[in-house]
Amino acid sequence: MLFSSERTFKVWRYGVGHSQLLLRAAPGSSETDRLDLLFEGVEAMQLITRYEALELHTFDEAESERIFEASGVPSRWRPHRLVLGLRSRSGAGYVQCAKVSALRGGADVIGPDDPSESVEVVWSLRG
């Protein structure tokens, strides 16, 4: 397991132009700040809309290769990409990307247009 949180994340935004996917855990009664997972350089994904108690994990080599093949990523780029599994009580999925960061900050559920503004990077991984 690479990252885990007991919070509930929702698919918040996907931008084709910058190939960014944002999963957001809104502030609540026990947590006063947002917690975002920002995936950059997204090339493929399979998602559900809500993840309760999310865990990010890697796949074995065979499953990663299957996802790379399905998305059409050339083999020369594969060492620079991540294939991350998303597992939770509410379902599973995956994201194939270049980088992922966990960002904490802000009490506003909507947050800034740029999710990297006024936040603390609490965890990050690059392919």
Side-chain angles (χ1 to χ4, degrees):
M1 183 172 35
L2 301 170
F3 175 86
S4 68
S5 173
E6 286 298 312
R7 296 178 67 176
T8 297
F9 289 82
K10 294 181 181 179
V11 176
W12 202 257
R13 180 175 59 231
Y14 175 70
V16 175
H18 294 292
S19 300
Q20 292 184 342
L21 169 67
L22 180 65
L23 302 183
R24 173 163 288 168
S29 57
S30 62
E31 297 288 343
T32 59
D33 291 334
R34 285 186 318 270
L35 183 58
D36 292 339
L37 285 173
L38 178 63
F39 299 85
E40 300 176 72
V42 174
E43 295 164 325
M45 60 187 157
Q46 180 180 33
L47 302 171
I48 59 172
T49 59
R50 177 182 161 117
Y51 292 92
E52 298 172 23
L54 179 65
E55 297 178 354
L56 290 182
H57 63 91
T58 57
F59 288 110
D60 64 25
E61 189 174 333
E63 184 64 10
S64 292
E65 283 302 312
R66 185 194 68 74
I67 293 169
F68 279 134
E69 288 295 322
S71 66
V73 171
S75 58
R76 70 180 179 277
W77 292 109
R78 294 177 187 180
H80 308 287
R81 301 295 187 268
L82 302 166
V83 180
L84 303 170
L86 289 80
R87 179 173 47 221
S88 75
R89 289 192 296 256
S90 54
Y94 69 82
V95 178
Q96 178 188 308
C97 61
K99 181 181 178 185
V100 59
S101 301
L103 311 168
R104 180 179 31 234
D108 181 10
V109 69
I110 301 299
D113 287 339
D114 177 3
S116 65
E117 279 181 30
S118 309
V119 296
E120 171 192 6
V121 177
V122 295
W123 176 80
S124 185
L125 182 64
R126 181 180 297 268

